[in-house]
Amino acid sequence: MKTIDVFIVMGSASDASKAEPAIAALKGFGVPFDAAVCSAHRSPKKLAALVASAEKRGCLVFIALAGKAAHLPGVVAAHTAKPVIGVPIDTPMMGLDSLLSIAQMPPGVPVATVGVDAGKNAALLAIQMLALSDAKLAKKLADYKAALGADVAKQNAETRKKLRIPKLP
Ligand code: RP5
């Protein structure tokens, strides 16, 4: 029985605040998901079991958030053929350590990597993947993108007014 489309794994409870925007986006788009804290280093056997159980529940895309020597997304990818999106968490090294640990995967085991602390983008990328075979979700995404464009147009009008830029001839 299918229960989830997306599974979010956080490497530590300290990553939870960075998962919140991802969770909000998935909820906003009505995407069924689950989330858990599990570490590639501190609880490796549990992680393998968690990935297997998420797949049994129908998970199509994984999102993994981790910081420092951020092996979590890569280890998730080692245990599944489903797409894995990694979110590098900010660190005293500005998240560069996390970013490189997630992005520099060996050939054969890719992890799609978003920006440092970019949980929202991870969820949107997951939604874009799911929308490839879900027309309702694709429509919601198109509406979302149109709203982004409308907001820029509003900013343009307000900024031009504020700066007293003359109207175009
Ligand atoms: C990583 O180490 C976690 O993903 C977290 O970002 C970082 C620090 O973990 P804690 O020491 O806060 O548990 O494994």
Side-chain angles (χ1 to χ4, degrees), residues 10-15 39 41-42 65-69 72 89:
M10 294 156 268
S12 166
S14 64
D15 300 328
S39 166
H41 305 118
R42 295 164 174 158
L65 301 92
K68 300 182 175 175
L72 181 67
I89 299 297

Side-chain angles (χ1 to χ4, degrees), residues 4-43:
I4 55 170
D5 281 342
V6 175
F7 195 82
I8 299 175
V9 196
M10 294 156 268
S12 166
S14 64
D15 300 328
S17 65
K18 309 297 166 59
E20 276 174 4
I23 289 169
L26 292 172
K27 283 183 179 170
F29 277 87
V31 172
F33 72 96
D34 197 359
V37 173
C38 195
S39 166
H41 305 118
R42 295 164 174 158
S43 51

Side-chain angles (χ1 to χ4, degrees), residues 35-36 43 60 82 93 110 113:
S43 51
L60 294 171
K82 300 287 188 301
M93 296 176 75
T113 311

